[in-house]
Amino acid sequence: MKMSSMTALLAAGEWTGLSKVFAQTPSPPKNGRSNDVAPSNGMDHRQIGGLDVSSIGLGCLPMVGYYGGKYRKQDMIALIRRAYDRGVTFFDTAEVYGPYTSEEWVGEALAPFRDKAGRDIPVFVAGGVKNGADMARYMKEGAAGAQFATRFIATAECDASEGYKQRLLAAKADDITLVKSPVGMPGRALRSPLIRRVEDGTQPPPERCVKCIVTCDGKNAPYCISKALIAARNGDWENGLFFCGAAGGEVNTLSTVPEQMAQIMDEWRAAQ
C-alpha cells in the first residue's frame, strides 16, 4: 500500500461507535490475519469513478485513542479486517491521526487483501488539493484520486447557510488562519470575531459543558466547539467557527455541484 506524507483518504465514511463494533469483533487469530473471507455481498455499493466501494465506511481516528480510551494495535487490526469481512471497503485515515499511527495500522491490516488481489489499495489525497491540476499531479505520484471540500461549500446544494457561503466568498488568503480547536485537533478557519477574541484572550469561557467529546476540557476550553459550529452553520459571524481549507481565499463564485465537477475535470484534463 502506498502511503502519502499528506492526508490520505482511503475511505470517506461515518464512525458509528468503536465500542459497538469492537464488541462484535472476535479475538484475532494467532497469525493476526482475517480468515480471508470475501466481503459480504449484502453490503450496498457505490461507484466512485471506476471504483466499486461500500456505502458504509470505517473511520480510523478513534482507534488511536483520540476520543478517549486505549486500544491495542493487534485488536484494531483485527477490527479493520473484521469490517472488511463484513463488506466494508472504505477506510478513513490521515497523517494527523496519531500522528501516523492510524495510517500504519490501516496499511498493515489491509496488506493481506492487497496481496490477495494482486494490486495496490486505492489511496485518495485529501487536504490542500485546490483544483484538478493538483489532482493530476498527485495521481501521477500514485494516488487514485483526490477529495475536495472547501470549494463545494459555495454551491447551491450545500446546506450551509447563505451567511456562511458569503463569508467564504468574501475571504482573502490572509483571512484564513490555523486554529487549535477545543478538542485538540488543528484546523484552518476564517478569522471570525470568535477567533480574534481567542487570539486576544478576550473570549468568555463556555457557560456550561455537556461533555460531548472526551478530549474537550470544558473547564479550560476557550469556547464550546459544538455551539461555535452550530453558529457557523447558521451564519452567525460573531460567534461561529467557520472551518475552511487553505485555499478558501480562492473560492469567489457561487456555483453548483455539477459545475464544480465539470470544472475540476476540465482542470484535470488540461494538466495531462
Side-chain angles (χ1 to χ4, degrees):
M1 180 177 181
K2 296 179 180 177
M3 283 298 175
S4 171
S5 60
M6 61 205 80
T7 302
L9 188 71
L10 283 164
E14 296 293 334
W15 181 259
T16 58
L18 181 60
S19 59
K20 293 181 181 179
V21 177
F22 188 69
Q24 301 175 11
T25 305
S27 298
K30 292 182 179 180
N31 63 5
R33 286 179 175 268
S34 161
N35 294 325
D36 289 330
V37 178
S40 169
N41 290 330
M43 173 69 70
D44 288 337
H45 282 229
R46 297 180 182 180
Q47 290 289 324
I48 298 181
L51 299 176
D52 182 74
V53 296
S54 61
S55 297
I56 297 177
L58 183 65
C60 301
L61 168 60
M63 294 182 182
V64 297
Y66 180 73
Y67 292 120
K70 295 183 179 179
Y71 307 102
R72 296 190 308 161
K73 172 183 176 181
Q74 182 181 12
D75 292 337
M76 296 301 98
I77 287 177
L79 189 154
I80 294 169
R81 292 175 179 171
R82 175 70 168 175
Y84 177 84
D85 289 344
R86 292 295 183 89
V88 175
T89 56
F90 255 23
F91 300 88
D92 173 62
T93 184
E95 180 183 52
V96 73
Y97 299 173
Y100 310 116
T101 306
S102 176
E103 285 188 333
E104 293 170 357
W105 290 5
V106 171
E108 184 172 338
L110 298 180
F113 309 123
R114 174 201 61 192
D115 297 341
K116 185 177 181 180
R119 59 186 177 87
D120 282 328
I121 295 171
V123 175
F124 289 74
V125 175
V129 185
K130 296 190 297 184
N131 49 45
D134 279 355
M135 180 172 69
R137 175 163 58 87
Y138 293 130
M139 290 180 70
K140 290 175 182 177
E141 295 175 359
Q147 173 192 342
F148 296 84
T150 301
R151 61 192 290 168
F152 285 94
I153 296 175
T155 60
E157 294 88 344
C158 179
D159 63 359
S161 68
E162 187 64 22
Y164 195 141
K165 296 177 184 180
Q166 292 302 321
R167 289 293 179 180
L168 178 62
L169 292 173
K172 306 300 181 186
D174 56 3
D175 293 325
I176 300 171
T177 186
L178 191 64
V179 300
K180 183 178 181 180
S181 79
V183 301
M185 292 285 284
R188 286 185 174 82
L190 298 179
R191 188 176 271 111
S192 66
L194 168 69
I195 298 303
R196 293 184 184 277
R197 291 195 299 271
V198 172
E199 293 173 341
D200 297 340
T202 60
Q203 170 64 21
E207 296 179 358
R208 62 189 294 266
C209 178
V210 297
K211 299 181 179 180
C212 59
I213 300 180
V214 174
T215 53
C216 183
D217 181 0
K219 294 181 179 179
N220 298 306
Y223 57 91
C224 173
I225 189 169
S226 180
K227 288 185 176 180
L229 291 174
I230 292 172
R233 160 65 179 80
N234 295 332
D236 182 352
W237 178 241
E238 187 70 23
N239 301 297
L241 174 59
F242 294 77
F243 280 126
C244 69
E250 298 182 25
V251 179
N252 50 35
T253 303
L254 189 66
S255 62
T256 66
V257 169
E259 289 171 345
Q260 283 296 320
M261 294 298 294
Q263 181 178 342
I264 290 170
M265 292 311 300
D266 286 343
E267 294 164 348
W268 179 81
R269 293 187 188 96
Q272 299 305 307

